[in-house]
Amino acid sequence: AEGYEEAQAAFAEAGAIHALAQALPCEAALRRPAIIALGSLAASNMQNQQAILETGALEVLVPQLCTGSSAERREAATTLSKLVQNNEEVEMLLEDMGAIIPLKRELGLMKQPKRKGAEEQT
């Protein structure tokens, strides 16, 4: 979208990344919008991705994949997927944190095992 990259840069320069990262350990009412906004700032923007990493956001986002509400898990997974996009450093960090499988599961990228007794529909 036209102007999106300029908006990302303007928000980052205004200190939005740091402010949003500070909201991550807060209650859900603040955390979820912060997760969404960080994902928007990270999308296809390596400079913002690096700035987000430097805030320590992964230490809050990764646990959200397992312990957050379903909405928080989904938003954390979406933001993490934007952080890992074209960024091998983030991919390696997520792997070291054991987050790749929960991330793929939350994004629906893993085949779910069929439940016993479930019949296949034809």
Side-chain angles (χ1 to χ4, degrees), residues 21 24 38 52-62 83:
L24 291 178
L38 284 172
I52 292 167
L53 285 180
E54 289 171 6
T55 68
L58 289 184
E59 284 75 22
V60 178
L61 291 171
V62 168
L83 282 169

Side-chain angles (χ1 to χ4, degrees), residues 6 17 22 24 35 51 58-59 72 84 90-91 116 121:
E6 292 85 5
I17 291 172
Q22 287 183 322
L24 291 178
I35 291 170
L58 289 184
E59 284 75 22
E72 287 175 328
V84 78
V90 176
E91 188 172 350
K116 281 189 171 182
Q121 296 179 351

Side-chain angles (χ1 to χ4, degrees), residues 7 15 36 38 40 44-45 47 55 65 80 98 113 115:
I36 294 167
L38 284 172
S40 294
S44 302
N45 188 313
Q47 188 173 349
T55 68
L65 288 173
L80 287 167
R115 293 188 304 256

Side-chain angles (χ1 to χ4, degrees), residues 28-106:
L30 293 175
R31 182 174 46 244
R32 189 163 172 245
I35 291 170
I36 294 167
L38 284 172
S40 294
L41 290 170
S44 302
N45 188 313
M46 292 289 285
Q47 188 173 349
N48 284 355
Q49 290 171 1
Q50 188 60 40
I52 292 167
L53 285 180
E54 289 171 6
T55 68
L58 289 184
E59 284 75 22
V60 178
L61 291 171
V62 168
Q64 290 299 311
L65 288 173
C66 300
T67 62
S69 68
S70 63
E72 287 175 328
R73 289 193 312 268
R74 182 177 54 252
E75 299 305 345
T78 300
T79 294
L80 287 167
S81 72
K82 291 175 183 177
L83 282 169
V84 78
Q85 188 178 50
N86 301 318
N87 194 324
E88 289 182 25
E89 178 187 0
V90 176
E91 188 172 350
M92 290 189 316
L93 287 169
L94 291 176
E95 195 169 308
D96 289 346
M97 296 173 86
I100 296 295
I101 290 174
L103 177 60
K104 287 182 176 182
R105 185 181 307 122
E106 193 60 39

